[in-house]
Amino acid sequence: MKTIDKDTVISVKNLNKRYRIGLEETKQETFAMQIWHMLTAPFRNFKNLKSLSNFTGTEDESIFWALRDINFEVKKGEVLGIIGHNGAGKSTLLKILSRITEPTEGEIQIKGRVSSLLEVGTGFHPDLTGRENVYMNGTILGMSKKEIDSKFKEIHEFSGIGKYIDTPVKRYSSGMKVRLAFSVAAHLDPEILIIDEVLAVGDAEFQKKCLGKMEDVAGKGRTVLFVSHNMAAVQNLCTRALLLNKGLLVENGETHLIIDNYLNSFKQNAIANINSNKKTSKVFIKDISLNSREKFNNVKSGDDVDLIINIAKGDNYSEKDELSIAIHFYDSQGKRLFVCSPSFYNKSLGCLSNVDIIKCKIENFPLAEGNYSINIWYSVNNEPYPEIDNALSFSVYPGDFYKSGRLPKKDKGSLFLVKQNWTI
């Protein structure tokens, strides 16, 4: 095994991970067959368990590749974001790097003490108190009791669980578990900190504290691997990002480019779905973008935003057909925030023969930092078409909305920024 250079703390080469899934049981149609299956169950189960890790011979449908041919390196002090759709292999990758599971093939080298938070209450014993679990985790990381003593007060205060520190962890809520687990993982001086989407369990205020702490850890020259669906957090925190898709490493590069390509994939899927109905539709959406940018759909709070929709006629359109449209904005939790439509101003888009590009200008874009998506509703001659879900996903970054020289942050779940005029 070739030794990695002094500035590299994680090296992953030709990493593969596969599982065997879906061992089908024979249907039990008669009482005699049920008795037979019960008697032979121990032998059958032993054979099935053995086959779970046996991948020799021809592959079949029961083999699932969670990761395939993954290669990357992480330098000391880097904050690496790992993004991708659900099922892309992000959590599997972190479990392998955390030594929770073994790779099927490949070479991994890690230099330094690793602290990870992958699931709620990771590494906690439910019957031990919060205090006892702090000491147990510190001991596992190789720290002495004196070292843990020096960190304990800071861990306790950061977690915010107060008097419950001496209560068994099994009586904690999921939020309390994740607060204490993150506090332990971040404060016990790890050289490499690995964090999964588990932070979503905490409330907005605690998430903000966690992101601040990760920035602090990275600022001290330590390395952070961060998996999240919060693109704004990834953008603000990470110096580089990986994009995974179906177990493959699709891209490795600058954070903003990786995020833009990832968000753009949602638009491509939505447009592909609507274009499949071209022959039966009078009209279909050819493309949608922000600020004339086909790929990089990111905006700043307070900027003027142009939402541009390219329209194409289907095979069945008539020049007299009239188009109506509405744009629905949603937050990352799927809650509708507001709607834009020309009908609010008693305006009509007119006949299809005159429509090729529709532009909606939104002045002083009012959404705070975060991830959002757009659905498109439209109708022809008052006959609605199926709404296009996730026609466009985009991130909003802090901007000088109030023209005060300060960048407002998303605070306590507030999504909207509102122009104000104060007098005394």
Short mmCIF file of all heavy atoms in Angstrom, two decimals, residues 145-210:
data_model
loop_
_atom_site.label_atom_id
_atom_site.label_comp_id
_atom_site.label_asym_id
_atom_site.label_seq_id
_atom_site.Cartn_x
_atom_site.Cartn_y
_atom_site.Cartn_z
N LYS A 145 -8.98 10.54 30.95
CA LYS A 145 -10.04 11.14 31.76
C LYS A 145 -9.77 12.62 32.00
O LYS A 145 -10.70 13.44 32.02
CB LYS A 145 -10.17 10.40 33.09
CG LYS A 145 -11.32 10.91 33.97
CD LYS A 145 -11.42 10.11 35.26
CE LYS A 145 -12.60 10.60 36.10
NZ LYS A 145 -12.46 12.03 36.49
N LYS A 146 -8.52 12.97 32.18
CA LYS A 146 -8.17 14.37 32.41
C LYS A 146 -8.54 15.23 31.22
O LYS A 146 -9.06 16.35 31.37
CB LYS A 146 -6.67 14.47 32.71
CG LYS A 146 -6.22 15.88 33.10
CD LYS A 146 -4.73 15.89 33.45
CE LYS A 146 -4.29 17.30 33.85
NZ LYS A 146 -2.84 17.34 34.22
N GLU A 147 -8.30 14.73 30.02
CA GLU A 147 -8.65 15.47 28.80
C GLU A 147 -10.16 15.65 28.69
O GLU A 147 -10.65 16.72 28.33
CB GLU A 147 -8.11 14.74 27.57
CG GLU A 147 -6.61 14.80 27.40
CD GLU A 147 -6.16 14.00 26.20
OE1 GLU A 147 -6.40 12.77 26.17
OE2 GLU A 147 -5.57 14.60 25.28
N ILE A 148 -10.90 14.59 29.00
CA ILE A 148 -12.37 14.67 28.91
C ILE A 148 -12.90 15.62 29.97
O ILE A 148 -13.82 16.40 29.71
CB ILE A 148 -13.00 13.27 29.06
CG1 ILE A 148 -12.45 12.31 28.00
CG2 ILE A 148 -14.52 13.35 28.93
CD1 ILE A 148 -12.86 10.87 28.20
N ASP A 149 -12.32 15.58 31.19
CA ASP A 149 -12.72 16.51 32.26
C ASP A 149 -12.61 17.95 31.79
O ASP A 149 -13.48 18.79 32.06
CB ASP A 149 -11.85 16.30 33.49
CG ASP A 149 -12.20 15.02 34.24
OD1 ASP A 149 -13.33 14.52 34.05
OD2 ASP A 149 -11.35 14.53 35.01
N SER A 150 -11.53 18.26 31.07
CA SER A 150 -11.29 19.64 30.64
C SER A 150 -12.28 20.09 29.58
O SER A 150 -12.51 21.29 29.42
CB SER A 150 -9.86 19.77 30.10
OG SER A 150 -9.71 19.03 28.90
N LYS A 151 -12.90 19.12 28.88
CA LYS A 151 -13.84 19.45 27.81
C LYS A 151 -15.29 19.32 28.24
O LYS A 151 -16.19 19.79 27.54
CB LYS A 151 -13.61 18.51 26.61
CG LYS A 151 -12.28 18.69 25.90
CD LYS A 151 -12.29 19.95 25.06
CE LYS A 151 -11.00 20.09 24.28
NZ LYS A 151 -11.01 21.29 23.42
N PHE A 152 -15.53 18.68 29.38
CA PHE A 152 -16.90 18.30 29.72
C PHE A 152 -17.84 19.49 29.86
O PHE A 152 -18.97 19.48 29.35
CB PHE A 152 -16.92 17.47 31.02
CG PHE A 152 -18.30 17.01 31.38
CD1 PHE A 152 -18.86 15.90 30.77
CD2 PHE A 152 -19.06 17.70 32.31
CE1 PHE A 152 -20.14 15.49 31.07
CE2 PHE A 152 -20.34 17.30 32.62
CZ PHE A 152 -20.89 16.18 31.99
N LYS A 153 -17.41 20.54 30.55
CA LYS A 153 -18.28 21.70 30.76
C LYS A 153 -18.70 22.32 29.44
O LYS A 153 -19.87 22.67 29.23
CB LYS A 153 -17.57 22.74 31.64
CG LYS A 153 -18.45 23.94 31.97
CD LYS A 153 -17.71 24.92 32.89
CE LYS A 153 -18.59 26.13 33.18
NZ LYS A 153 -17.89 27.11 34.07
N GLU A 154 -17.74 22.43 28.52
CA GLU A 154 -18.03 23.01 27.21
C GLU A 154 -19.01 22.13 26.43
O GLU A 154 -19.94 22.64 25.78
CB GLU A 154 -16.72 23.16 26.43
CG GLU A 154 -16.86 23.94 25.14
CD GLU A 154 -15.52 24.09 24.43
OE1 GLU A 154 -14.50 23.63 24.97
OE2 GLU A 154 -15.50 24.69 23.34
N ILE A 155 -18.83 20.81 26.51
CA ILE A 155 -19.73 19.88 25.83
C ILE A 155 -21.15 20.00 26.39
O ILE A 155 -22.13 20.08 25.64
CB ILE A 155 -19.21 18.43 25.98
CG1 ILE A 155 -17.91 18.24 25.20
CG2 ILE A 155 -20.27 17.42 25.51
CD1 ILE A 155 -17.23 16.93 25.47
N HIS A 156 -21.25 20.03 27.71
CA HIS A 156 -22.55 20.11 28.37
C HIS A 156 -23.28 21.40 28.02
O HIS A 156 -24.46 21.39 27.66
CB HIS A 156 -22.34 20.00 29.88
CG HIS A 156 -23.60 19.97 30.67
ND1 HIS A 156 -23.68 20.36 31.99
CD2 HIS A 156 -24.88 19.63 30.31
CE1 HIS A 156 -24.93 20.24 32.41
NE2 HIS A 156 -25.66 19.80 31.41
N GLU A 157 -22.58 22.52 28.07
CA GLU A 157 -23.22 23.80 27.79
C GLU A 157 -23.64 23.90 26.33
O GLU A 157 -24.72 24.42 26.02
CB GLU A 157 -22.27 24.94 28.15
CG GLU A 157 -22.06 25.10 29.66
CD GLU A 157 -21.08 26.21 29.98
OE1 GLU A 157 -20.46 26.75 29.03
OE2 GLU A 157 -20.94 26.53 31.19
N PHE A 158 -22.81 23.42 25.42
CA PHE A 158 -23.14 23.50 24.00
C PHE A 158 -24.37 22.65 23.67
O PHE A 158 -25.21 23.04 22.86
CB PHE A 158 -21.95 23.03 23.16
CG PHE A 158 -22.14 23.23 21.68
CD1 PHE A 158 -21.69 24.39 21.07
CD2 PHE A 158 -22.76 22.26 20.89
CE1 PHE A 158 -21.86 24.59 19.70
CE2 PHE A 158 -22.93 22.45 19.53
CZ PHE A 158 -22.48 23.61 18.93
N SER A 159 -24.49 21.48 24.29
CA SER A 159 -25.61 20.57 23.99
C SER A 159 -26.94 21.14 24.42
O SER A 159 -27.99 20.83 23.84
CB SER A 159 -25.38 19.22 24.67
OG SER A 159 -25.51 19.34 26.08
N GLY A 160 -26.95 21.96 25.47
CA GLY A 160 -28.18 22.58 25.93
C GLY A 160 -29.18 21.63 26.57
O GLY A 160 -30.37 21.95 26.66
N ILE A 161 -28.72 20.47 27.05
CA ILE A 161 -29.66 19.52 27.66
C ILE A 161 -29.80 19.73 29.17
O ILE A 161 -30.61 19.06 29.82
CB ILE A 161 -29.26 18.06 27.36
CG1 ILE A 161 -27.91 17.73 28.00
CG2 ILE A 161 -29.23 17.81 25.87
CD1 ILE A 161 -27.57 16.25 27.89
N GLY A 162 -29.02 20.66 29.72
CA GLY A 162 -29.21 21.07 31.10
C GLY A 162 -29.15 19.95 32.12
O GLY A 162 -28.24 19.11 32.12
N LYS A 163 -30.17 19.90 33.00
CA LYS A 163 -30.19 18.96 34.12
C LYS A 163 -30.33 17.51 33.68
O LYS A 163 -30.14 16.59 34.48
CB LYS A 163 -31.34 19.31 35.06
CG LYS A 163 -32.72 19.21 34.42
CD LYS A 163 -33.81 19.64 35.38
CE LYS A 163 -35.20 19.56 34.75
NZ LYS A 163 -36.26 19.99 35.68
N TYR A 164 -30.64 17.27 32.41
CA TYR A 164 -30.85 15.90 31.94
C TYR A 164 -29.54 15.18 31.63
O TYR A 164 -29.57 14.04 31.15
CB TYR A 164 -31.75 15.90 30.70
CG TYR A 164 -33.11 16.48 30.98
CD1 TYR A 164 -33.44 17.77 30.55
CD2 TYR A 164 -34.07 15.76 31.68
CE1 TYR A 164 -34.69 18.33 30.81
CE2 TYR A 164 -35.32 16.31 31.95
CZ TYR A 164 -35.62 17.59 31.51
OH TYR A 164 -36.85 18.13 31.78
N ILE A 165 -28.41 15.83 31.89
CA ILE A 165 -27.12 15.21 31.62
C ILE A 165 -26.92 13.92 32.41
O ILE A 165 -26.22 13.01 31.97
CB ILE A 165 -25.97 16.20 31.91
CG1 ILE A 165 -24.63 15.66 31.42
CG2 ILE A 165 -25.92 16.54 33.39
CD1 ILE A 165 -24.51 15.55 29.94
N ASP A 166 -27.58 13.80 33.58
CA ASP A 166 -27.45 12.59 34.41
C ASP A 166 -28.66 11.67 34.29
O ASP A 166 -28.90 10.82 35.15
CB ASP A 166 -27.21 12.98 35.87
CG ASP A 166 -25.84 13.61 36.08
OD1 ASP A 166 -24.85 13.02 35.59
OD2 ASP A 166 -25.77 14.69 36.69
N THR A 167 -29.43 11.83 33.21
CA THR A 167 -30.57 10.96 32.90
C THR A 167 -30.14 9.94 31.85
O THR A 167 -29.39 10.29 30.93
CB THR A 167 -31.75 11.79 32.37
OG1 THR A 167 -32.13 12.73 33.37
CG2 THR A 167 -32.94 10.90 32.02
N PRO A 168 -30.59 8.67 31.96
CA PRO A 168 -30.25 7.69 30.92
C PRO A 168 -30.66 8.17 29.53
O PRO A 168 -31.73 8.74 29.35
CB PRO A 168 -31.04 6.44 31.33
CG PRO A 168 -31.19 6.59 32.82
CD PRO A 168 -31.34 8.06 33.07
N VAL A 169 -29.80 7.95 28.56
CA VAL A 169 -30.01 8.44 27.19
C VAL A 169 -31.29 7.87 26.58
O VAL A 169 -31.91 8.51 25.73
CB VAL A 169 -28.78 8.10 26.33
CG1 VAL A 169 -29.06 8.26 24.85
CG2 VAL A 169 -27.61 8.99 26.73
N LYS A 170 -31.72 6.68 27.00
CA LYS A 170 -32.92 6.07 26.42
C LYS A 170 -34.16 6.90 26.70
O LYS A 170 -35.19 6.70 26.04
CB LYS A 170 -33.10 4.65 26.94
CG LYS A 170 -33.36 4.54 28.44
CD LYS A 170 -33.45 3.08 28.86
CE LYS A 170 -33.66 2.92 30.36
NZ LYS A 170 -33.68 1.50 30.77
N ARG A 171 -34.09 7.83 27.65
CA ARG A 171 -35.23 8.69 27.96
C ARG A 171 -35.13 10.05 27.25
O ARG A 171 -35.98 10.90 27.43
CB ARG A 171 -35.35 8.90 29.47
CG ARG A 171 -35.64 7.61 30.23
CD ARG A 171 -36.06 7.87 31.67
NE ARG A 171 -36.47 6.64 32.32
CZ ARG A 171 -35.68 5.86 33.03
NH1 ARG A 171 -34.41 6.19 33.18
NH2 ARG A 171 -36.13 4.75 33.60
N TYR A 172 -34.10 10.24 26.43
CA TYR A 172 -33.93 11.49 25.69
C TYR A 172 -34.86 11.51 24.47
O TYR A 172 -35.13 10.46 23.87
CB TYR A 172 -32.50 11.65 25.19
CG TYR A 172 -31.49 12.03 26.25
CD1 TYR A 172 -31.81 12.03 27.60
CD2 TYR A 172 -30.20 12.40 25.89
CE1 TYR A 172 -30.87 12.37 28.56
CE2 TYR A 172 -29.25 12.76 26.83
CZ TYR A 172 -29.59 12.73 28.17
OH TYR A 172 -28.67 13.07 29.12
N SER A 173 -35.28 12.69 24.07
CA SER A 173 -35.94 12.85 22.77
C SER A 173 -34.88 12.76 21.67
O SER A 173 -33.67 12.84 21.95
CB SER A 173 -36.65 14.20 22.70
OG SER A 173 -35.70 15.25 22.70
N SER A 174 -35.32 12.61 20.42
CA SER A 174 -34.35 12.53 19.32
C SER A 174 -33.55 13.82 19.23
O SER A 174 -32.35 13.80 18.93
CB SER A 174 -35.07 12.25 18.00
OG SER A 174 -36.02 13.26 17.72
N GLY A 175 -34.20 14.96 19.50
CA GLY A 175 -33.48 16.23 19.46
C GLY A 175 -32.40 16.32 20.52
O GLY A 175 -31.30 16.82 20.27
N MET A 176 -32.69 15.84 21.74
CA MET A 176 -31.70 15.85 22.81
C MET A 176 -30.52 14.94 22.47
O MET A 176 -29.36 15.28 22.73
CB MET A 176 -32.35 15.42 24.13
CG MET A 176 -33.37 16.41 24.68
SD MET A 176 -34.29 15.73 26.08
CE MET A 176 -32.99 15.60 27.31
N LYS A 177 -30.82 13.78 21.90
CA LYS A 177 -29.75 12.85 21.53
C LYS A 177 -28.80 13.47 20.51
O LYS A 177 -27.58 13.38 20.64
CB LYS A 177 -30.34 11.56 20.97
CG LYS A 177 -30.99 10.66 21.99
CD LYS A 177 -31.56 9.42 21.32
CE LYS A 177 -32.30 8.53 22.31
NZ LYS A 177 -32.94 7.36 21.64
N VAL A 178 -29.39 14.09 19.48
CA VAL A 178 -28.53 14.62 18.43
C VAL A 178 -27.74 15.83 18.93
O VAL A 178 -26.59 16.04 18.52
CB VAL A 178 -29.36 14.97 17.17
CG1 VAL A 178 -30.11 16.29 17.32
CG2 VAL A 178 -28.45 15.04 15.95
N ARG A 179 -28.32 16.62 19.84
CA ARG A 179 -27.58 17.76 20.38
C ARG A 179 -26.36 17.29 21.18
O ARG A 179 -25.26 17.82 21.02
CB ARG A 179 -28.50 18.62 21.25
CG ARG A 179 -29.53 19.40 20.46
CD ARG A 179 -30.09 20.57 21.26
NE ARG A 179 -30.77 20.16 22.47
CZ ARG A 179 -32.06 19.87 22.54
NH1 ARG A 179 -32.81 19.93 21.44
NH2 ARG A 179 -32.63 19.52 23.68
N LEU A 180 -26.57 16.29 22.03
CA LEU A 180 -25.45 15.79 22.83
C LEU A 180 -24.44 15.06 21.94
O LEU A 180 -23.22 15.22 22.11
CB LEU A 180 -25.95 14.86 23.93
CG LEU A 180 -24.87 14.32 24.88
CD1 LEU A 180 -24.16 15.47 25.59
CD2 LEU A 180 -25.47 13.37 25.91
N ALA A 181 -24.94 14.27 20.98
CA ALA A 181 -24.04 13.51 20.11
C ALA A 181 -23.16 14.44 19.29
O ALA A 181 -21.95 14.22 19.14
CB ALA A 181 -24.85 12.60 19.18
N PHE A 182 -23.74 15.52 18.75
CA PHE A 182 -22.93 16.45 17.98
C PHE A 182 -21.92 17.15 18.88
O PHE A 182 -20.76 17.35 18.51
CB PHE A 182 -23.80 17.50 17.29
CG PHE A 182 -23.00 18.53 16.53
CD1 PHE A 182 -22.60 18.27 15.24
CD2 PHE A 182 -22.61 19.71 17.14
CE1 PHE A 182 -21.83 19.19 14.54
CE2 PHE A 182 -21.84 20.64 16.46
CZ PHE A 182 -21.45 20.38 15.15
N SER A 183 -22.37 17.55 20.06
CA SER A 183 -21.48 18.25 20.98
C SER A 183 -20.28 17.39 21.34
O SER A 183 -19.14 17.87 21.37
CB SER A 183 -22.25 18.64 22.25
OG SER A 183 -21.50 19.48 23.06
N VAL A 184 -20.52 16.10 21.58
CA VAL A 184 -19.42 15.17 21.89
C VAL A 184 -18.49 15.04 20.70
O VAL A 184 -17.26 15.15 20.82
CB VAL A 184 -19.99 13.79 22.29
CG1 VAL A 184 -18.86 12.76 22.36
CG2 VAL A 184 -20.70 13.88 23.63
N ALA A 185 -19.08 14.83 19.50
CA ALA A 185 -18.27 14.60 18.30
C ALA A 185 -17.41 15.81 17.96
O ALA A 185 -16.26 15.67 17.53
CB ALA A 185 -19.19 14.27 17.11
N ALA A 186 -17.94 17.02 18.18
CA ALA A 186 -17.24 18.22 17.75
C ALA A 186 -16.23 18.75 18.77
O ALA A 186 -15.30 19.45 18.40
CB ALA A 186 -18.25 19.32 17.43
N HIS A 187 -16.43 18.43 20.04
CA HIS A 187 -15.59 19.03 21.08
C HIS A 187 -14.46 18.14 21.57
O HIS A 187 -13.58 18.61 22.29
CB HIS A 187 -16.45 19.42 22.29
CG HIS A 187 -17.30 20.63 22.05
ND1 HIS A 187 -18.52 20.57 21.43
CD2 HIS A 187 -17.10 21.94 22.35
CE1 HIS A 187 -19.04 21.79 21.36
NE2 HIS A 187 -18.20 22.63 21.91
N LEU A 188 -14.44 16.87 21.19
CA LEU A 188 -13.40 15.98 21.69
C LEU A 188 -12.17 15.97 20.78
O LEU A 188 -11.55 14.93 20.58
CB LEU A 188 -13.96 14.57 21.89
CG LEU A 188 -14.99 14.45 23.02
CD1 LEU A 188 -15.46 13.01 23.17
CD2 LEU A 188 -14.40 14.94 24.35
N ASP A 189 -11.87 17.13 20.21
CA ASP A 189 -10.65 17.35 19.42
C ASP A 189 -10.40 16.30 18.34
O ASP A 189 -9.30 15.74 18.25
CB ASP A 189 -9.42 17.42 20.35
CG ASP A 189 -9.45 18.65 21.23
OD1 ASP A 189 -10.04 19.66 20.80
OD2 ASP A 189 -8.90 18.61 22.34
N PRO A 190 -11.39 16.03 17.48
CA PRO A 190 -11.13 15.10 16.38
C PRO A 190 -10.27 15.77 15.32
O PRO A 190 -10.37 16.97 15.08
CB PRO A 190 -12.53 14.80 15.84
CG PRO A 190 -13.30 16.06 16.11
CD PRO A 190 -12.76 16.60 17.41
N GLU A 191 -9.41 15.00 14.69
CA GLU A 191 -8.65 15.53 13.56
C GLU A 191 -9.49 15.48 12.29
O GLU A 191 -9.27 16.26 11.36
CB GLU A 191 -7.36 14.73 13.40
CG GLU A 191 -6.38 14.99 14.55
CD GLU A 191 -5.36 13.89 14.70
OE1 GLU A 191 -5.73 12.74 14.95
OE2 GLU A 191 -4.16 14.20 14.57
N ILE A 192 -10.45 14.55 12.26
CA ILE A 192 -11.38 14.44 11.13
C ILE A 192 -12.79 14.31 11.70
O ILE A 192 -13.07 13.41 12.49
CB ILE A 192 -11.07 13.20 10.26
CG1 ILE A 192 -9.63 13.28 9.72
CG2 ILE A 192 -12.06 13.09 9.10
CD1 ILE A 192 -9.17 12.01 9.03
N LEU A 193 -13.67 15.23 11.32
CA LEU A 193 -15.06 15.23 11.79
C LEU A 193 -15.97 14.87 10.63
O LEU A 193 -15.95 15.54 9.58
CB LEU A 193 -15.42 16.60 12.35
CG LEU A 193 -16.86 16.79 12.86
CD1 LEU A 193 -17.17 15.84 14.00
CD2 LEU A 193 -17.08 18.24 13.30
N ILE A 194 -16.78 13.82 10.80
CA ILE A 194 -17.69 13.34 9.75
C ILE A 194 -19.12 13.52 10.23
O ILE A 194 -19.52 12.97 11.26
CB ILE A 194 -17.41 11.86 9.41
CG1 ILE A 194 -15.97 11.70 8.89
CG2 ILE A 194 -18.41 11.35 8.39
CD1 ILE A 194 -15.59 10.27 8.57
N ILE A 195 -19.91 14.30 9.48
CA ILE A 195 -21.27 14.64 9.87
C ILE A 195 -22.24 14.29 8.75
O ILE A 195 -22.08 14.74 7.61
CB ILE A 195 -21.41 16.14 10.21
CG1 ILE A 195 -20.43 16.52 11.31
CG2 ILE A 195 -22.84 16.47 10.62
CD1 ILE A 195 -20.74 15.92 12.65
N ASP A 196 -23.27 13.52 9.06
CA ASP A 196 -24.31 13.17 8.09
C ASP A 196 -25.50 14.11 8.27
O ASP A 196 -25.51 14.98 9.14
CB ASP A 196 -24.73 11.71 8.25
CG ASP A 196 -25.35 11.13 6.98
OD1 ASP A 196 -25.69 11.93 6.08
OD2 ASP A 196 -25.51 9.91 6.89
N GLU A 197 -26.55 13.89 7.50
CA GLU A 197 -27.75 14.73 7.50
C GLU A 197 -28.48 14.73 8.83
O GLU A 197 -29.49 15.41 9.00
CB GLU A 197 -28.71 14.23 6.40
CG GLU A 197 -29.94 15.07 6.15
CD GLU A 197 -29.61 16.47 5.65
OE1 GLU A 197 -29.02 16.56 4.56
OE2 GLU A 197 -29.92 17.45 6.33
N VAL A 198 -27.97 14.01 9.81
CA VAL A 198 -28.62 13.89 11.11
C VAL A 198 -28.88 15.26 11.75
O VAL A 198 -29.78 15.40 12.58
CB VAL A 198 -27.76 13.01 12.05
CG1 VAL A 198 -26.48 13.70 12.41
CG2 VAL A 198 -28.53 12.64 13.30
N LEU A 199 -28.14 16.29 11.36
CA LEU A 199 -28.35 17.62 11.93
C LEU A 199 -29.75 18.15 11.64
O LEU A 199 -30.23 19.06 12.31
CB LEU A 199 -27.33 18.62 11.39
CG LEU A 199 -25.88 18.44 11.85
CD1 LEU A 199 -25.01 19.54 11.31
CD2 LEU A 199 -25.80 18.39 13.36
N ALA A 200 -30.43 17.59 10.64
CA ALA A 200 -31.79 18.03 10.32
C ALA A 200 -32.76 17.77 11.47
O ALA A 200 -33.84 18.34 11.53
CB ALA A 200 -32.28 17.34 9.05
N VAL A 201 -32.37 16.88 12.40
CA VAL A 201 -33.25 16.56 13.53
C VAL A 201 -33.34 17.76 14.48
O VAL A 201 -34.37 18.00 15.09
CB VAL A 201 -32.72 15.32 14.28
CG1 VAL A 201 -33.56 15.04 15.52
CG2 VAL A 201 -32.73 14.11 13.35
N GLY A 202 -32.27 18.52 14.60
CA GLY A 202 -32.25 19.65 15.53
C GLY A 202 -33.10 20.81 15.03
O GLY A 202 -33.45 20.89 13.86
N ASP A 203 -33.41 21.75 15.95
CA ASP A 203 -34.17 22.92 15.54
C ASP A 203 -33.24 23.91 14.83
O ASP A 203 -32.04 23.73 14.75
CB ASP A 203 -34.86 23.57 16.74
CG ASP A 203 -33.89 23.94 17.87
OD1 ASP A 203 -32.71 24.22 17.55
OD2 ASP A 203 -34.30 23.93 19.04
N ALA A 204 -33.86 25.00 14.30
CA ALA A 204 -33.10 25.94 13.47
C ALA A 204 -31.96 26.59 14.25
O ALA A 204 -30.85 26.78 13.74
CB ALA A 204 -34.05 27.00 12.91
N GLU A 205 -32.22 26.93 15.51
CA GLU A 205 -31.20 27.59 16.31
C GLU A 205 -30.01 26.68 16.57
O GLU A 205 -28.85 27.10 16.47
CB GLU A 205 -31.82 28.05 17.64
CG GLU A 205 -30.86 28.84 18.52
CD GLU A 205 -31.52 29.33 19.79
OE1 GLU A 205 -32.73 29.13 19.97
OE2 GLU A 205 -30.80 29.93 20.61
N PHE A 206 -30.29 25.39 16.86
CA PHE A 206 -29.19 24.47 17.12
C PHE A 206 -28.42 24.17 15.84
O PHE A 206 -27.19 24.03 15.86
CB PHE A 206 -29.71 23.18 17.74
CG PHE A 206 -28.61 22.23 18.13
CD1 PHE A 206 -27.82 22.49 19.23
CD2 PHE A 206 -28.35 21.10 17.38
CE1 PHE A 206 -26.78 21.64 19.59
CE2 PHE A 206 -27.32 20.23 17.73
CZ PHE A 206 -26.54 20.50 18.83
N GLN A 207 -29.13 24.06 14.70
CA GLN A 207 -28.43 23.85 13.43
C GLN A 207 -27.45 24.97 13.17
O GLN A 207 -26.33 24.74 12.69
CB GLN A 207 -29.45 23.75 12.30
CG GLN A 207 -30.26 22.46 12.30
CD GLN A 207 -31.22 22.39 11.13
OE1 GLN A 207 -30.91 22.81 10.04
NE2 GLN A 207 -32.41 21.88 11.37
N LYS A 208 -27.86 26.19 13.48
CA LYS A 208 -26.99 27.35 13.28
C LYS A 208 -25.75 27.22 14.17
O LYS A 208 -24.62 27.51 13.75
CB LYS A 208 -27.76 28.63 13.60
CG LYS A 208 -27.01 29.91 13.27
CD LYS A 208 -27.89 31.11 13.51
CE LYS A 208 -27.16 32.41 13.18
NZ LYS A 208 -28.03 33.59 13.40
N LYS A 209 -25.93 26.78 15.42
CA LYS A 209 -24.80 26.58 16.33
C LYS A 209 -23.86 25.51 15.78
O LYS A 209 -22.63 25.64 15.85
CB LYS A 209 -25.30 26.16 17.71
CG LYS A 209 -25.89 27.29 18.54
CD LYS A 209 -26.42 26.76 19.87
CE LYS A 209 -25.35 26.14 20.72
NZ LYS A 209 -25.87 25.68 22.04
N CYS A 210 -24.45 24.44 15.24
CA CYS A 210 -23.64 23.33 14.71
C CYS A 210 -22.78 23.80 13.54
O CYS A 210 -21.60 23.45 13.44
CB CYS A 210 -24.54 22.18 14.27
SG CYS A 210 -25.36 21.32 15.63
#
